[in-house]
Amino acid sequence: MRLLLAAVILLPAVRQADATDNRIAVISSSIAEIVVALGEGGNVVLRGGGTDHIPEITDAVRLPGYSQPSAEGMLAVGPTIALLSARRTKPIVKEQLAAAGVEAYLFETLTDLSDLPDRVRAIAKLLGREDRAEAVIASFHGELAAAKALVDNTESRPRGLFLLSGGGRPTVVAGGDTHIASLIRLAGGVNVTDGISLFKPMNQEAMMMAAPDFIIVNKEGLGLAGGEIIAFQAPGVQLTPAARNGAVFSMPSGYLTDLGVSTPKAITVLARKIHPELN
């Protein structure tokens, strides 16, 4: 995890604050979830894409898109602190925010849930909410233990993958080093794209050889184009066991964006979808 520090400027608050005078801009659903868990949801004045599932911050200004926000758009709402995903924010944006007097930090994407407690403590310190950090961590550990206990009761090991499609973007699958592959493994499944790094296209032959038992898609992937489900237009998808058995489904967007405090809930939801013995 990398924290990048800049100077601080305090601006007049115009929204009702929680326990601090922070005015928070957050670009990352997992970071936003931590901010809310720490009791700072009411101080979020700006948020990025992928945060619509968090009711505590829906009144905050939402930037369009999911990545590469501009500094100008953030500065327009007068944040005092910006918590930014390094994967979705160019370093120049952090520098521009710092030059304008905003305390700005870039966070690398979590790839291991064991790193989450340190992430919570780091954000709590930046926001002056150290008093809430250990309670958030304890709650997370309790939910994660319950999710793991559920998965431990399964016997099946279904094979699956995540397919990102629709929204005008290329159709790609999530490789073994992505957060969504980690979620599949945590839910007791076998990620069939472990040989791929990050997000890459998959041709028809590779999809048929992978033969996934289930396919997770983003919400847009279940939309229709030309009378056909968009995800089914990807090469080879209709020839998979997943398509034949009706095991192509989506999940709440907050579960598919990053690993974070909501991941135990995501594990539980996915496990119940892919393990017939749990139903």
Side-chain angles (χ1 to χ4, degrees), residues 101-201:
V102 178
E103 195 178 356
Y105 302 86
L106 288 176
F107 292 87
E108 299 293 347
T109 300
L110 286 179
T111 57
D112 192 323
L113 283 180
S114 65
D115 294 328
L116 184 68
D118 286 343
R119 174 64 54 86
V120 171
R121 293 185 184 104
I123 292 175
K125 184 175 182 179
L126 296 176
L127 299 179
R129 293 311 306 259
E130 294 98 325
D131 60 314
R132 295 290 300 271
E134 297 311 315
V136 171
I137 293 168
S139 177
F140 165 76
H141 280 152
E143 292 183 357
L144 183 60
K148 287 183 175 179
L150 179 71
V151 173
D152 286 345
N153 285 326
T154 64
E155 297 180 356
S156 59
R157 289 296 174 261
R159 296 160 46 82
L161 59 82
F162 174 73
L163 182 74
L164 180 67
S165 60
R169 63 174 70 86
T171 298
V172 294
V173 297
D177 55 356
T178 61
H179 61 280
I180 194 68
S182 296
L183 175 60
I184 289 172
R185 290 189 287 265
L186 287 166
V190 176
N191 183 67
V192 299
T193 56
D194 276 353
I196 297 174
S197 179
L198 300 178
F199 290 85
K200 299 285 192 313

Side-chain angles (χ1 to χ4, degrees), residues 9-251:
I9 184 171
L10 295 178
L11 301 179
V14 296
R15 300 178 71 226
Q16 183 177 357
D18 288 342
T20 71
D21 292 326
N22 294 315
R23 291 178 56 82
I24 307 166
V26 58
I27 306 299
S28 165
S29 66
S30 62
I31 295 174
E33 289 173 354
I34 292 173
V35 169
V36 169
L38 290 170
E40 288 286 298
N43 290 330
V44 175
V45 296
L46 181 139
R47 59 192 177 94
T51 57
D52 295 338
H53 65 290
I54 309 175
E56 292 87 348
I57 63 173
T58 52
D59 289 341
V61 175
R62 185 190 186 281
L63 291 179
Y66 286 81
S67 62
Q68 309 309 338
S70 70
E72 291 81 3
M74 294 191 215
L75 291 171
V77 298
T80 60
I81 185 168
L83 307 175
L84 312 169
S85 164
R87 186 180 67 190
R88 295 180 181 146
T89 311
K90 293 180 179 178
I92 187 63
V93 173
K94 181 263 173 188
E95 296 170 8
Q96 291 168 339
L97 291 171
V102 178
E103 195 178 356
Y105 302 86
L106 288 176
F107 292 87
E108 299 293 347
T109 300
L110 286 179
T111 57
D112 192 323
L113 283 180
S114 65
D115 294 328
L116 184 68
D118 286 343
R119 174 64 54 86
V120 171
R121 293 185 184 104
I123 292 175
K125 184 175 182 179
L126 296 176
L127 299 179
R129 293 311 306 259
E130 294 98 325
D131 60 314
R132 295 290 300 271
E134 297 311 315
V136 171
I137 293 168
S139 177
F140 165 76
H141 280 152
E143 292 183 357
L144 183 60
K148 287 183 175 179
L150 179 71
V151 173
D152 286 345
N153 285 326
T154 64
E155 297 180 356
S156 59
R157 289 296 174 261
R159 296 160 46 82
L161 59 82
F162 174 73
L163 182 74
L164 180 67
S165 60
R169 63 174 70 86
T171 298
V172 294
V173 297
D177 55 356
T178 61
H179 61 280
I180 194 68
S182 296
L183 175 60
I184 289 172
R185 290 189 287 265
L186 287 166
V190 176
N191 183 67
V192 299
T193 56
D194 276 353
I196 297 174
S197 179
L198 300 178
F199 290 85
K200 299 285 192 313
M202 178 178 269
N203 61 35
Q204 177 170 307
E205 181 181 5
M207 181 68 73
M208 292 176 62
M209 289 183 63
D213 299 311
F214 67 90
I215 298 176
I216 309 169
V217 300
N218 55 312
K219 182 179 179 181
E220 292 88 347
L222 292 182
L224 296 177
E228 184 179 24
I229 295 175
I230 294 173
F232 281 21
Q233 296 176 358
V237 165
Q238 293 196 56
L239 303 175
T240 63
R244 290 196 297 269
N245 297 325
V248 179
F249 57 85
S250 187
M251 295 174 64

